[in-house]
Amino acid sequence: MLPLDSRVEFDPQRAEEFLAALPPRPAVVLIEPRGELAGARPLLLRTADLRRKLGLLLGPADPASKRVNLREYARGIRFRLTGSAFEQSLVHWQHARALWPRGYRRRMRLRPLPLVKLTTSNPYPRAYVTRRIGPGGVYFGPFAKRRSAEAFLEPFLDLFRIRRCQIKIRRDPDFPGCIYSEMKMCLAPCFAGCTAEEYAAEARRVLQFLESRGASLAEQLTGEREEASAQTDFERAAATHRRLEKVDALLRLMPDLARCLDTLNAIVLQRAFEKSTVAIFVVRGGAYCRTVPVALRPTGQPAPVGRTNAARSAGTFEHHR
């Protein structure tokens, strides 16, 4: 967790001196309550101007104003100056999750970004859009909006023959099936239209597509088209080419960042609070890993730097808007 690495005691009698010492910079701040206030909880805020924000909260109370005044509430503050909106959001999220483990999402109005999930715990996997991450699945994404994920999922499923239904598969030959089995768009395990091995093989093709971001199917179809052309089977070559065009159209719907989450490795470069310093935020396997500040020397050769008590801790990385 990136720490709130500065702390200042608050004395209402010396409020002007207290506020003058605060920098007018973006920050995440935790207001600590006085010990005599039984049951009082700290308040976590983020602001674009630390001095101005606390001046409104801890300055002299205005009887004519309805604004909350914490002058008699605050014992002191802990804060961290931030160099970018990304860092501020990350620090605010980390400390909100520590303060309110069960309610931080509601307090922060966080909504996870949608993903496409391929179930692996079921012997007959299916793919669908979800915002929740749990065991027993491969997650592909993220997508900016649910509508974008659904627009990707529909043509994606058209390229394969895995099921789209949510029923429990019993492999009953008397089961009537559905429209997708009638259109040969599903292997129909519901009425034993395929063996378990055939369905597993199709599910592996789906997984390979997601892991390769479409390259596996594109390469397969390209090879089949060239083979059909070499054998002068132009009808099969044309059909394969049309299918390859569908793959290309689908890949254009795929966000640049989207991939299986366990392979989502990235670095985010942002301006740091320190002068002439860049903050490198490291993401591994879809999870925030650590932050490395790098000072830019006049010679152009970077040198690592660090704050007092700088943190190097891991935590789940949540996509939010």
Side-chain angles (χ1 to χ4, degrees):
M1 181 186 297
L2 296 173
L4 304 178
D5 48 13
S6 299
R7 189 181 186 283
V8 184
E9 292 284 346
F10 176 68
D11 181 356
Q13 304 301 322
R14 305 178 63 184
E16 292 186 4
E17 181 181 341
F18 169 86
L19 294 172
L22 297 177
R25 301 289 300 275
V28 175
V29 57
L30 183 75
I31 301 178
E32 300 173 332
R34 295 183 179 277
E36 61 268 22
L37 300 177
R41 299 291 302 275
L43 300 178
L44 184 68
L45 308 168
R46 54 180 175 176
T47 176
D49 189 325
L50 180 63
R51 181 187 296 171
R52 180 178 181 277
K53 183 70 172 181
L54 292 185
L56 295 174
L57 294 175
L58 304 180
D62 183 359
S65 175
K66 295 182 179 181
R67 182 182 292 117
V68 174
N69 188 277
L70 303 177
R71 191 180 182 89
E72 303 302 325
Y73 174 90
R75 180 188 65 186
I77 64 167
R78 290 191 291 122
F79 65 91
R80 179 187 181 93
L81 299 178
T82 55
S84 65
F86 180 89
E87 181 183 5
Q88 188 176 79
S89 296
L90 177 62
V91 174
H92 186 235
W93 163 72
Q94 288 181 325
H95 288 273
R97 191 176 66 164
L99 282 172
W100 312 294
R102 296 184 178 180
Y104 73 96
R105 288 184 178 177
R106 175 181 55 81
R107 289 172 177 266
M108 296 182 66
R109 299 181 181 179
L110 283 180
R111 196 178 186 189
L113 291 178
L115 304 161
V116 170
K117 177 181 180 179
L118 177 67
T119 58
T120 57
S121 57
N122 193 294
Y124 299 99
R126 67 185 184 93
Y128 57 94
V129 175
T130 182
R131 292 182 184 270
R132 296 183 178 181
I133 297 179
V138 174
Y139 295 87
F140 183 84
F143 294 84
K145 299 179 180 179
R146 187 178 186 91
R147 183 179 300 176
S148 302
E150 292 172 344
F152 169 84
L153 180 64
E154 192 65 28
F156 165 67
L157 291 175
D158 289 343
L159 296 173
F160 301 97
R161 299 177 67 191
I162 62 172
R163 68 189 182 102
R164 309 185 191 206
C165 60
Q166 302 181 34
I167 63 173
K168 184 176 181 179
I169 303 299
R170 300 182 183 276
R171 297 185 61 81
D172 182 1
D174 295 330
F175 191 79
C178 66
I179 187 64
Y180 292 107
S181 60
E182 292 291 334
M183 298 172 63
K184 307 299 181 184
M185 297 175 67
C186 176
L187 290 176
C190 55
F191 59 78
C194 66
T195 65
E197 292 75 16
E198 288 172 337
Y199 195 95
E202 187 71 1
R204 282 195 297 271
R205 293 180 61 239
V206 174
L207 179 59
Q208 290 170 359
F209 181 96
L210 296 177
E211 290 177 338
S212 65
R213 302 187 79 249
S216 61
L217 184 57
E219 292 174 1
Q220 175 191 336
L221 294 177
T222 300
E224 292 177 1
R225 182 184 60 183
E226 293 176 354
E227 179 183 354
S229 298
Q231 297 175 357
T232 66
D233 188 350
F234 299 118
E235 184 176 348
R236 182 161 66 93
T240 305
H241 180 75
R242 287 193 294 271
R243 196 164 181 224
L244 186 58
E245 287 180 331
K246 291 182 179 180
V247 174
D248 293 337
L250 177 62
L251 297 183
R252 288 194 289 272
L253 295 174
M254 188 184 300
D256 292 338
L257 185 62
R259 62 202 66 234
C260 294
L261 282 191
D262 58 353
T263 64
L264 178 53
N265 303 320
I267 58 173
V268 181
L269 303 179
Q270 295 286 319
R271 177 180 296 176
F273 158 69
E274 294 89 349
K275 186 177 181 181
S276 301
T277 303
V278 174
I280 302 177
F281 299 88
V282 182
V283 177
R284 291 181 180 172
Y288 164 73
C289 181
R290 59 177 179 151
T291 302
V292 180
V294 177
L296 303 179
R297 292 178 176 176
T299 59
Q301 298 180 352
V305 300
R307 295 174 181 248
T308 304
N309 300 323
R312 301 288 190 271
S313 60
T316 302
F317 179 79
E318 296 185 26
H319 302 273
H320 59 276
R321 289 173 287 181

